[in-house]
Amino acid sequence: MRQRAAVLCGAAVIAAGTVTAAPAEATATRLPQPAPTAPAAGPHWEECATEDYPTLQCASLEVPLDHERPHGEQITLALSRVPHTARTYQGPLLVNPGGPGGSGLTLAGFVASSLPAKVAAQYDVIGFDPRGVGRSSPALDCRPGHFAPVRPDSVPDTPDVERANLARAESFADACGDKYADVLPYIDTVSAARDVDAIRAALGAEKLSYFGYSYGTYLGAVYAKLHPQRVRRLVLDSVVGPEDVWYDANLHQDLAFNDRHRAFMAWIAEHDAAYGLGTDPERVESAWYAMRAALAKRPAGGRVGASELEDTYMPGGYYNGYWPYLAEAFAAYVNDGDTGPLVEAYENFGAPDASGDNGYSVYTAVQCRDAGWPRDWDDWRDDNWGLYEKAPFLVWNNAWYNAPCAFWPTPSRQPVDVANAELPPVLLFQATGDAATPYEGGVAAHRLLGGSSLVVEEGGGNHGITLSGNDCLDEHLAAYLTDGTVPHGDGGEADAVCPALPDPKPLESKAASTSSRGSTLHGLLGFRG
């Protein structure tokens, strides 16, 4: 993200910010050749039903830690399934919620129950925890409690604050290297894509259909690059910019999240009758930053400081269904000095837990391994301060989230060139105001994936837009999964355009805030991916 230029003591900055470079792999640009996958016995499925998903089944699958050594050390992937029920069977539909680091086990149940019944009945909807994640084994947890409150202020406006944040980032990278030295070289997107093909083979399918959100779009694109002949259908929702992996992608996110946060401030101003924070969006935004400054000095409930406040409000950039709850907490603090709703919002949206520790460990492992990151902290400092004055909302919070990559113990690969002209029709979905995966990434993927079709949600700002209440988008998705039908435009960026859903209403309104389906989906997708 971006920042303003701070005046720091040169000697102190050098002491805090010098990072030793680790060499990139000389052979990183060569994609591994797909290893022959021996026929395997199918997974042993057992019932793992929940109240919401009564037909959900679970299984596990062993795969090589290193796919170049198929008979070497094995790891275990956790799988889930909602089996097909129709006579017409279209094979497995693998689903992924993103991250990297997101668990996909429950997503299978959600997708199967949210698609039209006659469509879902034709597929085995397959979820999985990627390597390192959740119920897969080993599951990474580099430094439990890394995000425990109260952390240093994310904005490093003094040498001491910068040193404190750098120490946290370096200690996290060191902890990962100490605990998982033998595993980290194989926690990356290419290895995960090889796992996807191992799942396909274990299911006995010649071809695989795939439906990914967020980072899951990049995983799907990499799988398609490795195994184009094994792709039957490919749906990518909220598309990672495939040419920005990963350092530049985070810088581009910063600008987009700032725009989305300002849209939230404007929404609060529009509903001044409910929140009493003024009708001028700039005044509302000033009040938010004043709240942040106050919390930096006196954390709410001893738990919500400036960094935790950013953690709490960042989810509003992913999904506007959270806006009414975040607005109420903001108003209670500013108007009444009541910290209770703010602490509650932090617990609901920003507080870490064990699954979050695991997800972050995998997130850093994948991102730091997938692509090169600056190893000289001066580059990070310059880039992030350079953005801060334009987009202060999340710049430094995002920078520190990714900063372990400056110290990562495993050398980086080069990102995969996902350009592909060997695929069947591919269907892409993208909102114009998406902050986590900005619109330009969807356009770039559309260009790189020959024969793809791009459906745009015009005016939408949410991240993850299908199966979230927009019937226009979902009709395109259902048609494609039914018989491969995709829209064809007139040569412009978009092949089809759907209007965005209206913004939510304040909680006092009978209309309440969000569809339950949208809230459920965004709970499964999580944040940061």
Side-chain angles (χ1 to χ4, degrees):
M1 317 283 198
R2 311 70 295 138
Q3 31 291 126
R4 66 181 171 79
V7 179
L8 301 177
C9 169
V13 169
I14 291 172
T18 301
V19 182
T20 302
E25 293 182 340
T27 60
T29 56
R30 181 181 65 84
L31 278 178
Q33 294 303 305
T37 305
H44 176 65
W45 297 102
E46 297 182 345
E47 181 180 320
C48 59
T50 68
E51 183 177 349
D52 291 329
Y53 310 119
T55 62
L56 197 65
Q57 301 171 347
C58 293
S60 62
L61 176 69
E62 285 194 347
V63 297
L65 173 64
D66 178 2
H67 282 278
E68 297 297 318
R69 298 173 58 247
H71 302 295
E73 182 179 351
Q74 304 292 296
I75 60 175
T76 302
L77 303 179
L79 310 180
S80 64
R81 176 178 75 165
V82 176
H84 74 282
T85 57
R87 284 190 176 183
T88 301
Y89 177 49
Q90 300 210 47
L93 172 64
L94 204 69
V95 298
N96 181 272
S103 169
L105 298 181
T106 304
L107 184 65
F110 173 83
V111 169
S113 64
S114 299
L115 287 170
K118 65 180 181 181
V119 177
Q122 298 177 30
Y123 289 91
D124 287 339
V125 182
I126 308 292
F128 69 109
D129 281 354
R131 53 176 54 206
V133 175
R135 295 184 186 175
S136 292
S137 179
L140 274 57
D141 191 349
C142 295
R143 189 169 181 256
H146 182 69
F147 288 98
V150 171
R151 308 196 307 277
D153 193 328
S154 65
V155 178
D157 53 6
T158 70
D160 286 345
V161 172
E162 182 178 54
R163 279 193 292 267
N165 279 298
L166 277 169
R168 291 186 69 256
E170 186 170 12
S171 65
F172 187 88
D174 289 346
C176 285
D178 291 343
K179 293 178 73 172
Y180 303 112
D182 295 338
V183 175
L184 291 183
Y186 309 103
I187 305 295
D188 60 82
T189 300
V190 169
S191 296
R194 302 284 292 276
D195 291 343
V196 168
D197 202 57
I199 295 170
R200 176 203 58 78
L203 296 173
E206 291 187 7
K207 293 189 176 185
L208 183 77
S209 296
Y210 179 93
F211 179 9
Y213 290 93
S214 192
Y215 163 78
T217 67
Y218 183 64
L219 175 59
V222 171
Y223 177 74
K225 182 71 171 187
L226 287 172
H227 303 289
Q229 76 282 7
R230 296 174 186 167
V231 175
R232 186 168 184 272
R233 296 201 177 118
L234 183 63
V235 181
L236 308 180
D237 182 330
S238 303
V239 185
V240 166
E243 298 171 314
D244 293 333
V245 176
W246 289 111
Y247 182 74
D248 287 344
N250 281 280
L251 296 176
H252 295 156
Q253 275 187 341
D254 294 343
L255 291 167
F257 268 107
N258 201 75
D259 289 344
R260 197 66 184 141
H261 185 64
R262 285 177 171 164
F264 174 38
M265 299 294 101
W267 180 86
I268 292 174
E270 181 183 343
H271 295 286
D272 180 56
Y275 302 116
L277 291 167
T279 59
D280 180 358
E282 291 188 3
R283 176 183 167 188
V284 175
E285 186 177 11
S286 294
W288 192 91
Y289 283 103
M291 174 175 67
R292 186 196 185 283
L295 292 169
K297 297 177 180 177
R298 186 178 180 182
R303 291 179 60 74
V304 185
S307 294
E308 290 74 27
L309 182 74
E310 291 164 343
D311 296 346
T312 302
Y313 280 78
M314 179 194 63
Y318 282 82
Y319 179 50
N320 63 6
Y322 300 139
W323 286 2
Y325 304 95
L326 296 172
E328 290 210 338
F330 177 19
Y333 182 89
V334 172
N335 296 331
D336 305 319
D338 184 358
T339 61
L342 191 60
V343 173
E344 181 180 2
Y346 168 68
E347 297 295 342
N348 288 336
F349 300 116
D353 58 16
S355 65
D357 286 343
N358 168 242
Y360 180 63
S361 297
V362 177
Y363 172 93
T364 50
V366 171
Q367 295 232 333
C368 300
R369 174 69 171 144
D370 266 3
W373 293 74
R375 295 285 185 151
D376 185 341
W377 185 252
D378 287 345
D379 293 337
W380 293 68
R381 184 187 297 114
D382 291 346
D383 288 341
N384 285 280
W385 279 125
L387 287 171
Y388 182 79
E389 286 190 354
K390 301 176 187 176
F393 170 57
L394 204 62
V395 166
W396 276 111
N397 187 293
N398 199 30
W400 297 121
Y401 196 84
N402 291 281
C405 292
F407 306 93
W408 203 247
T410 303
S412 298
R413 309 174 63 107
Q414 292 294 323
V416 175
D417 177 2
V418 303
N420 202 328
E422 302 179 47
L423 296 172
V426 174
L427 188 58
L428 313 178
F429 292 92
Q430 190 71 39
T432 55
D434 185 349
T437 53
Y439 176 74
E440 292 76 13
V443 174
H446 184 26
R447 170 174 48 83
L448 292 171
L449 299 176
S452 63
S453 292
L454 175 62
V455 179
V456 170
E457 187 182 48
E458 183 66 40
N462 290 338
H463 177 68
I465 54 176
T466 57
L467 304 184
S468 191
N470 189 319
D471 292 340
C472 174
L473 298 173
D474 292 349
E475 287 170 4
H476 286 292
L477 174 63
Y480 178 66
L481 292 178
T482 297
D483 58 18
T485 297
V486 294
H488 295 289
D490 57 5
E493 285 182 347
D495 294 284
V497 176
C498 292
L501 296 174
D503 283 335
K505 301 295 183 183
L507 293 178
E508 293 84 358
S509 166
K510 292 181 180 180
S513 64
T514 67
S515 72
S516 60
R517 197 170 73 178
S519 298
T520 300
L521 172 64
H522 288 87
L524 294 173
L525 300 186
F527 315 125
R528 296 282 188 185

